[in-house]
Amino acid sequence: MQEPFILGITGASGAIYAHRLLRHLKDLNVEVHLVITEHGKQVVAYEGQQDLFSLATKVHRNDDMFAPIASGSFRHRGMIIAPCTMATLGKIANGIGDTLLARAADVCLKERRKLIVVPRETPMHAIHFQNQKTLSDLGAIVLPANPSFYLKPQSIDDLVDTVLARVLDHLGLDHPVSHRWRDMGHP
Ligand SMILES: Cc1cc2nc3c(=O)[nH]c(=O)nc-3n(C[C@H](O)[C@H](O)[C@H](O)COP(=O)(O)O)c2cc1C
């Protein structure tokens, strides 16, 4: 088995992104260490996505600073935060590692490891944009939860997968999720 990925889930709408990402990573036989914020747990439950927990290889408590993912010495292939709130985005952009999730993201930045944030909010104000620019300048990939329609999605799962296919691409994984533009031909 290869090194794992880390998935952080926060209290933004769109728990289905985390759920389907975990499903795809499991299908690809990839290990995932999961950490979720308190508000993340509440939104996951509210949006009916509680089944996601069973798909993770390991679930860490967000107040467990002794977890391996808090350390730069823990080897992994990258961290995804999906969906990512503006609150957590602001914390990470400002180097505040006071929860396990924020600390693991901070470690990615300092160790120059892959960090993909999937922000979800609308509309946004200038601080939201500034924080995303800061993270981008630090090497993180800011991949908003903006589904696309040009591949003609037929269901909510299809729509969600238009975002997740890009996440999986950026993780460097070969995957069958969603179509690619070249498959669709030209009218
Ligand atoms: C149902 C629900 C949906 C929410 N959706 C969003 C959202 O899409 N984006 C966002 O930034 N915050 C959203 N929030 C607010 C966050 O949960 C709140 O700012 C929280 O403090 C974030 O904490 P966390 O980043 O530690 O998870 C939502 C809250 C609830 C209850």
Side-chain angles (χ1 to χ4, degrees):
M1 187 66 92
Q2 285 185 294
E3 289 167 359
F5 288 100
I6 300 171
L7 174 63
I9 304 176
T10 69
S13 186
I16 190 173
Y17 287 106
H19 195 164
R20 286 194 67 73
L21 181 58
L22 278 162
R23 164 55 56 208
H24 294 319
L25 291 171
K26 195 171 181 78
D27 289 347
L28 293 168
N29 207 22
V30 170
E31 288 195 350
V32 181
H33 285 239
L34 175 64
V35 57
I36 181 166
T37 66
E38 199 46 50
H39 289 113
K41 276 188 209 159
Q42 292 175 20
V43 176
V44 163
Y46 185 73
E47 294 186 346
Q49 303 291 331
Q50 305 91 318
D51 291 354
L52 64 77
F53 292 101
S54 63
L55 297 170
T57 314
K58 173 94 190 151
V59 183
H60 299 285
R61 285 199 345 254
N62 199 27
D63 64 354
D64 181 10
M65 251 349 143
F66 286 81
I69 63 173
S71 170
S73 66
F74 179 72
R75 294 180 61 158
H76 64 86
R77 288 192 275 167
M79 177 171 184
I80 314 104
I81 306 178
C84 185
T85 60
M86 295 303 103
T88 290
L89 195 87
K91 203 176 255 198
I92 299 166
N94 288 280
I96 301 169
D98 65 344
T99 63
L100 181 62
L101 190 153
R103 167 67 186 168
D106 198 52
V107 168
C108 288
L109 295 175
K110 82 181 176 78
E111 301 290 340
R112 308 295 193 261
R113 291 219 179 92
K114 185 163 287 183
L115 175 63
I116 300 175
V117 293
V118 182
R120 217 277 355 152
E121 185 54 283
T122 196
M124 294 186 187
H125 58 60
I127 296 171
H128 299 153
F129 292 124
Q130 281 164 17
N131 287 334
Q132 289 175 73
K133 180 179 185 310
T134 300
L135 288 182
S136 180
D137 288 346
L138 288 168
I141 299 192
V142 180
L143 200 159
N146 290 353
S148 60
F149 294 83
Y150 59 87
L151 297 171
K152 305 193 170 96
Q154 300 297 305
S155 65
I156 291 177
D157 285 353
D158 285 354
L159 206 55
V160 164
D161 282 353
T162 64
V163 173
L164 296 181
R166 305 315 323 284
V167 172
L168 294 167
D169 284 349
H170 279 278
L171 293 177
L173 297 169
D174 272 336
H175 64 85
V177 176
S178 202
H179 299 291
R180 291 186 187 276
W181 178 238
R182 67 167 182 271
D183 296 339
M184 306 305 288
H186 197 279

